[in-house]
Amino acid sequence: MGNKQIAVIGGGIAGLTAAYYLQKEIRTHQLPYEVKLIEASEELGGKIKTVKKDGFTIERGPDSFLARKTSAARLATEAGLEDELIRVSSGKSYILANGELHSMPKGSFMGIPTQIKPFVTSSLFSIPGKLRAAGDFVLPKGKPQEDQALGHFFRRRLGNEVVENMIEPLLSGIYSGDVDKLSLMATFPNFYDMEQKYGSLIRGLQETTAKPSKSGTQKKPGMFLTLKNGLSSLVTAVEEKLEEETVLKGVAVNQIEKKNESYQLSLSNGKALSADAVIMAAPHLAAQKMLNQYDFMNEWKEMPSTSVANVAMAFDAADIEDDIDGTGFVVSRNSDFRITACTWTHKKWPHTTPEGKALVRCYVGRPDDQEVVHFSDEEIEEIVLRDLNKQMKIKGKPEMKVVTRWKNVMPQYTVGHKQRVQRVKEQMEQHLPGVFLAGSSYEGIGLPDCIDQGENAVRDVLAFLNK
Ligand code: FAD
């Protein structure tokens, strides 16, 4: 009998991780399996796209990953890039609220205060807003609930002002979504648990996070890591570790049919591929199309995706005349701005920028301002420069810019998301044994979350085939 075939569909970071660890397991344990990674576009990496231009390293998609979730650094180490990992330079960051920049209050975690003094003295909130937030210490905990909107939960505990001026700009920056629609349990279930356990988020965070050093001199290491040559170097390094015949690029899977004990994949090049197990690492709507004969996959049609665009602009450092001491800011919706976030990339990641230059990256595309993503490069540049010049003085136009549009690609974990994923998984187990989901549409959008899902899918496939 020939080797069993495993198909991994989608060569973003989730699929790439799955293919890599499958191959490693097969080699280590001499398993009678073969892997095929099928990617619709001509390149692996999905949303990871680094551009090198005029000496700058520009990320069109993700620019870093959370260090405390260890799977991404582990994958980089597996790929031989351990020495290229770089930790973010810590610097001041700001929130733009009511048209003004305010320092992020020290000790806040995802917008929730853990230290009282920086919060009380912050210019970000009014006195009534601060008093309302202190209600978190005394308000009763909410009734146990399956799920609720992030916005609803935080407004109840801390009041509207803290949500609007701090929590919303930070969280909607991560999820490119509306906090009043996003699911608490699919994004920050730990806050729900904290409320249930401690009756207060502030107290819960104080109990569970490291206390600041007494002298105040010990600098906290930055929370994010990236790679010296850009995140695409991770994709390239992992791809190089795969056997040549493993990867099929420029070929999409159109349809998947169950044939007795195996699956028949119809490919866009007119060919077909047979697989004993499948890892679906393509976005949810692509998965729905491949398996559209199954009504339960229609759940994915209920899951929206939003769009964003970013523009990276290079300047001569001297052209930024009225600079700000910090690494960037996020924008609250109560400001008359269209940009949603801005990073002074040259300060946050100095390795990306040649000496004497500045690299600024800004996002547009609030959930209620989606049309801006479709504007021309020039229009986006103009909007961004106009907004930036309200806060700093930039002379003239950028020497170089890279505009990237991400249309309908940011999956929205709306209320009930976890249950939705669970329902589809249960149906798949019943009707599509040996087919597993991985990737940003399902159980976490951060790079380490997608890598974790790739690793988990490997475990599931091996358990299935080894049965
Ligand atoms: P994708 O990268 O979307 O890969 C899916 C792949 O499937 C694609 O390559 C696609 O071509 C392929 N495919 C689709 N249909 C088919 C088919 N029919 N057949 C074969 N192949 C198919 N995360 C962080 O941790 N840090 C950040 O700083 C960060 N910033 C971000 C900034 C932006 C602008 C964006 C868009 C995302 C950001 N994220 C960030 C999130 C993170 O980048 C993504 O969640 C993650 O890269 C998604 O990986 P994935 O493998 O699940 O999906």
Side-chain angles (χ1 to χ4, degrees):
M1 231 169 59
N3 285 340
K4 289 204 169 162
Q5 303 295 320
I6 307 166
V8 180
I9 305 175
I13 196 66
L16 191 60
T17 300
Y20 172 77
Y21 283 113
L22 274 171
Q23 185 183 275
K24 188 176 173 189
E25 287 293 310
I26 292 169
R27 278 187 190 154
T28 312
H29 303 289
Q30 303 196 338
L31 301 171
Y33 308 147
E34 279 171 29
V35 188
K36 194 64 99 189
L37 174 62
I38 309 149
E39 165 54 44
S41 70
E42 297 295 339
E43 278 175 24
L44 297 183
K47 295 185 180 97
I48 299 177
K49 281 192 198 315
T50 309
V51 178
K52 299 263 190 184
K53 209 171 167 186
D54 302 345
F56 292 89
T57 303
I58 294 168
E59 300 288 1
R60 286 179 175 273
D63 71 352
S64 55
F65 50 84
L66 260 179
R68 89 185 137 75
K69 298 187 175 180
T70 52
S71 57
R74 194 170 63 241
L75 183 66
T77 303
E78 288 270 339
L81 300 180
E82 193 176 7
D83 294 341
E84 304 203 354
L85 285 165
I86 292 179
R87 202 173 270 272
V88 66
S89 304
S90 45
K92 268 196 198 165
S93 54
Y94 298 86
I95 299 189
L96 201 137
N98 298 312
E100 274 179 42
L101 280 181
H102 304 266
S103 296
M104 192 85 72
K106 236 172 102 191
S108 54
F109 180 77
M110 288 296 162
I112 300 156
T114 63
Q115 295 173 31
I116 305 303
K117 198 174 159 206
F119 179 77
V120 171
T121 52
S122 170
S123 59
L124 194 51
F125 314 105
S126 65
I127 291 170
K130 290 173 187 173
L131 288 172
R132 172 60 186 85
D136 176 61
F137 285 114
V138 291
L139 284 169
K141 64 184 178 193
K143 289 200 183 78
Q145 236 173 308
E146 224 178 26
D147 200 3
Q148 55 193 300
L150 267 178
H152 170 79
F153 174 79
F154 287 120
R155 285 180 208 284
R156 182 167 55 74
R157 292 250 44 107
L158 299 156
N160 284 335
E161 203 177 308
V162 170
V163 170
E164 272 156 35
N165 287 4
M166 191 145 81
I167 295 178
E168 192 276 333
L170 286 171
L171 300 196
S172 61
I174 300 172
Y175 289 95
S176 303
D178 182 341
V179 291
D180 291 312
K181 293 187 180 148
L182 289 173
S183 150
L184 175 67
M185 297 313 269
T187 54
F188 293 101
N190 49 328
F191 287 134
Y192 174 79
D193 296 340
M194 226 170 246
E195 186 199 27
Q196 292 298 316
K197 184 164 177 199
Y198 298 97
S200 149
L201 297 181
I202 302 174
R203 214 169 18 235
L205 274 173
Q206 286 175 333
E207 291 289 328
T208 51
T209 49
K211 305 264 177 302
S213 67
K214 283 236 162 62
S215 63
T217 49
Q218 212 179 322
K219 222 175 166 191
K220 257 182 37 190
M223 288 194 342
F224 294 93
L225 293 171
T226 195
L227 287 162
K228 197 168 83 188
N229 285 307
L231 290 177
S232 285
S233 65
L234 175 62
V235 175
T236 311
V238 176
E239 185 177 1
E240 278 168 4
K241 297 256 170 203
L242 295 177
E243 277 158 28
E244 215 177 294
E245 59 285 13
T246 304
V247 185
L248 208 58
K249 287 191 264 191
V251 177
V253 176
N254 289 338
Q255 192 74 34
I256 303 176
E257 301 273 0
K258 189 167 186 315
K259 290 264 160 80
N260 303 320
E261 297 296 291
S262 65
Y263 294 94
Q264 182 90 359
L265 278 54
S266 313
L267 307 180
S268 58
N269 60 6
K271 296 190 177 154
L273 206 88
S274 178
D276 300 281
V278 179
I279 295 177
M280 287 281 238
H284 59 288
L285 281 181
Q288 187 277 327
K289 279 195 196 120
M290 285 179 241
L291 289 162
N292 61 5
Q293 66 275 40
Y294 295 95
D295 285 347
F296 63 83
M297 293 298 280
N298 287 340
E299 292 250 23
W300 298 140
K301 290 191 188 164
E302 309 295 317
M303 186 177 164
S305 298
T306 54
S307 307
V308 291
N310 60 50
V311 51
M313 299 183 297
F315 300 94
D316 217 279
D319 287 342
I320 303 192
E321 288 183 341
D322 202 357
D323 201 359
I324 292 156
D325 168 29
T327 54
F329 62 88
V330 290
V331 182
S332 97
R333 287 201 215 166
N334 56 26
S335 293
D336 182 23
F337 273 61
R338 280 186 102 162
I339 57 172
T340 56
C342 170
T343 306
W344 285 280
T345 308
H346 57 292
K347 296 187 191 175
K348 192 172 174 189
W349 305 110
H351 67 282
T352 60
T353 309
E355 254 331 280
K357 300 285 176 188
L359 183 64
V360 182
R361 189 167 83 138
C362 294
Y363 273 90
V364 290
R366 279 191 322 256
D368 60 347
D369 185 24
Q370 291 279 285
E371 76 269 15
V372 66
V373 175
H374 303 270
F375 288 5
S376 70
D377 286 8
E378 288 63 37
E379 284 168 315
I380 292 178
E381 178 192 326
E382 203 186 307
I383 287 169
V384 168
L385 279 177
R386 195 170 52 223
D387 275 355
L388 285 181
N389 276 315
K390 290 179 198 163
Q391 290 304 325
M392 49 211 287
K393 217 192 267 162
I394 301 178
K395 218 164 62 189
K397 296 235 170 198
E399 290 174 358
M400 182 267 288
K401 67 169 185 285
V402 175
V403 178
T404 310
R405 292 173 190 74
W406 293 99
K407 292 185 186 165
N408 300 316
V409 299
M410 308 297 285
Q412 297 297 295
Y413 293 1
T414 50
V415 174
H417 177 80
K418 270 188 125 166
Q419 289 76 12
R420 195 174 299 131
V421 172
Q422 190 54 32
R423 278 195 300 274
V424 176
K425 281 193 164 182
E426 279 165 15
Q427 292 288 321
M428 286 178 71
E429 207 176 323
Q430 203 181 331
H431 300 282
L432 298 164
V435 182
F436 302 97
L437 297 172
S440 56
S441 293
Y442 312 111
E443 290 172 288
I445 61 160
L447 293 170
D449 303 310
C450 297
I451 292 170
D452 286 341
Q453 292 177 67
E455 290 188 39
N456 291 341
V458 169
R459 251 169 256 139
D460 290 340
V461 162
L462 294 180
F464 174 77
L465 292 179
N466 292 341
K467 253 198 303 212

